[in-house]
Amino acid sequence: MKKLLLLITSVFLLSSTACANDSKVANSSDQGAHTNMKISIKIASDSGNHKLTATLEDNSSATAFYELLQKGPLTVKMIDYGNFEKYGPIGSSLPRNDRQITTTAGDIILYQGNQITIYYDTNNWNFTRLGKVVSTSGAENSVTSSTTAITQAELKKILGKGYVTAVFEVL
């Protein structure tokens, strides 16, 4: 009887371990499906038309945002708030991964699951980080197509004063 119970327990533990390992493999391959998610953001502001490049985070919120953009470009009318960010509604809700963070210039943040924010200065709050602006190619009508890292001062100038229109799309 003890041998039979030991055999059944062993089979159960081995099958449980095998199932757990299979789910880990499946999850890791699912996460790799959207690694290196890059988007472009076309900004129309009082300083002209600009194109930014951003890299998205590795979280369910950024993946959902990327999948939304794969359906087509998303145009967001954004307004300034607090002299450190531009924000606007995205028209749908995304999963939230909020945690206490301090933003820096170039951070792309999901706020309350349905607002997108581009920071040009710092703020400390409970947010979901979607990504980071990594470069700019300058004015869209510029004759040069060079891509350069963006500074806080450049980003603030690009975002300008008042309303901006931002078009987010997959690269």
Side-chain angles (χ1 to χ4, degrees), residues 38-45 47-54 108 118 132-142 144-150 154-155 157-159 165-171:
K38 293 195 176 205
I39 62 170
S40 72
I41 309 166
K42 294 176 184 172
I43 302 288
S45 69
S47 68
N49 296 321
H50 307 272
K51 186 175 180 182
L52 307 173
T53 301
I108 301 168
I118 301 174
K132 181 81 168 179
V133 173
V134 292
S135 63
T136 178
S137 58
E140 283 188 62
N141 56 4
S142 172
T144 64
S145 61
S146 64
T147 300
T148 58
I150 191 164
E154 289 169 326
L155 186 57
K157 182 177 179 184
I158 287 169
L159 293 173
T165 300
V167 180
F168 298 84
E169 59 188 325
V170 171
L171 277 178

Side-chain angles (χ1 to χ4, degrees), residues 47-144:
S47 68
N49 296 321
H50 307 272
K51 186 175 180 182
L52 307 173
T53 301
T55 301
L56 297 182
E57 292 287 312
D58 185 14
N59 63 42
S60 62
S61 305
T63 299
F65 184 59
Y66 188 80
E67 290 170 352
L68 177 68
L69 298 182
Q70 285 181 316
K71 296 175 184 174
L74 174 66
T75 302
V76 180
K77 189 169 184 175
M78 303 177 89
I79 187 148
D80 198 78
Y81 178 80
N83 291 320
F84 52 80
E85 69 180 81
K86 296 285 186 179
Y87 78 97
I90 59 173
S92 61
S93 291
L94 301 177
R96 294 168 65 169
N97 289 283
D98 291 347
R99 63 184 178 94
Q100 190 71 32
I101 60 173
T102 300
T103 63
T104 60
D107 280 343
I108 301 168
I109 301 293
L110 177 66
Y111 179 65
Q112 295 185 344
N114 62 3
Q115 306 274 327
I116 193 160
T117 306
I118 301 174
Y119 277 83
Y120 57 86
D121 211 333
T122 60
N123 188 22
N124 189 322
W125 200 258
N126 200 26
F127 296 126
T128 298
R129 190 182 316 269
L130 290 178
K132 181 81 168 179
V133 173
V134 292
S135 63
T136 178
S137 58
E140 283 188 62
N141 56 4
S142 172
V143 290
T144 64

Side-chain angles (χ1 to χ4, degrees), residues 23-37 56-60 62-63 66-67 97:
S23 70
K24 286 180 186 174
V25 170
N27 287 340
S28 66
S29 65
D30 289 346
Q31 289 174 349
H34 292 297
T35 57
N36 297 319
M37 297 180 291
L56 297 182
E57 292 287 312
D58 185 14
N59 63 42
S60 62
T63 299
Y66 188 80
E67 290 170 352
N97 289 283

